[in-house]
Amino acid sequence: MRHHPVPASDGGAPAGSLSGGLLDRLRSSALSPAVSAPGGQRIPGSVFASTVERAAAGLRIRGARPGDVTAVLCPHSPDRLMALFTVLAADGAALPLRADAPASALVHLLTATETRMVIADASLAGAALRLADRSRVRQVLAFGRVPGTTPFDELLLPGPAAPPGPAPSGLPGPPPGARAGRADGALLEHRPVGDRPRTVLHTRADLLRRRAELQRELGLGAADTVAVDALTSERDRIALTAAALWSGASVTTVATPAEAPEATVRSSPAPSRTR
């Protein structure tokens, strides 16, 4: 296993897709990466890709439209990555939330972005429901079965097709920044500024560029395991996970750099090489 710093963005051209085609690539090759957490959850790469595809289809079948904002309230974990990739694969705008942020700031953020759905970890489902009561969120999906929520696994089941044509009148349109397809498959990162969070939009093209840069410059292969720590920016977590899986490398989520295994790739707070 090898050690790499995460290189700075060079603005290269986007190529490929974050997850589209990944399942076929893994099934038609000897590549067998996994997404895991130390001492806990382990999801084979093909299962991760298949679940993302099916769950994204479930969101679309149930009426999710391109640019719709879906928040994710999960600890840094394989499930958090799966939820974010699902929203991106459904052409939505993924809004990852920090569980340690003040509830008032999160309510402001959910309301300002017109978020209607939250995907939450079972341990945070209660907090997600309380946020829903104070905002415009209409549905909370949870990993596991929690009263008042819809199990994430229900997205994997067949459902009624969404009606064709424009959205019914009276429903709110996509959030600012999502119009004209600018936020289709995008990431909305939020950063604290005073007592109000500020959102930063990373478009699909930006995420694809970053993935291409990491694939090209890190030279990851099937023998590598990428440790993504909780200090890494959300954009780099997503791009790095995609780059690793496409290269056949595994991904492990670690809470802090100190918990990282011997082979590590990290990009925050500053690029560094571990020896």
Side-chain angles (χ1 to χ4, degrees), residues 12-18 203-213 239:
S17 170
L18 285 171
T203 64
R204 183 200 303 272
D206 177 39
L207 296 173
L208 292 176
R209 272 195 299 269
R210 190 60 173 144
R211 191 208 72 173
E213 291 163 8

Side-chain angles (χ1 to χ4, degrees), residues 46-242:
S46 58
V47 174
F48 183 90
S50 173
T51 303
V52 165
E53 284 189 10
R54 294 165 59 198
L59 285 178
R60 290 190 292 263
I61 286 172
R62 287 157 177 79
R65 298 168 296 172
D68 280 356
V69 179
T70 296
V72 174
L73 183 61
C74 295
H76 178 52
S77 64
D79 278 346
R80 183 181 179 94
L81 290 173
M82 181 175 289
L84 291 171
F85 270 80
T86 294
V87 178
L88 296 172
D91 293 329
L95 176 64
L97 303 178
R98 291 181 50 179
D100 59 351
S104 58
L106 294 181
V107 169
H108 173 81
L109 185 63
L110 292 170
T111 303
T113 56
E114 298 184 356
T115 300
R116 294 293 186 269
M117 181 182 295
V118 176
I119 302 175
D121 181 77
S123 65
L124 296 171
L129 289 169
R130 290 190 292 274
L131 291 173
D133 288 341
R134 298 173 58 188
S135 66
R136 299 176 183 176
V137 170
R138 295 174 177 172
Q139 186 174 22
V140 175
L141 301 176
F143 288 99
R145 297 190 174 275
V146 180
T149 70
T150 300
F152 180 85
D153 286 350
E154 287 196 9
L155 293 179
L156 310 181
L157 303 175
S169 60
L171 291 180
R179 290 172 175 78
R182 285 181 292 167
D184 295 3
L187 174 71
L188 286 169
E189 272 195 287
H190 67 93
R191 301 167 185 172
V193 178
D195 61 348
R196 287 284 183 260
R198 171 175 169 264
T199 57
V200 179
L201 175 67
H202 300 292
T203 64
R204 183 200 303 272
D206 177 39
L207 296 173
L208 292 176
R209 272 195 299 269
R210 190 60 173 144
R211 191 208 72 173
E213 291 163 8
L214 293 169
Q215 280 188 267
R216 180 175 64 252
E217 297 183 33
L218 293 178
L220 296 169
D224 292 318
T225 294
V226 174
V228 184
D229 64 62
L231 299 180
T232 303
S233 72
E234 206 81 49
R235 182 194 71 153
D236 276 359
R237 292 187 215 179
I238 291 171
L240 189 52
T241 297

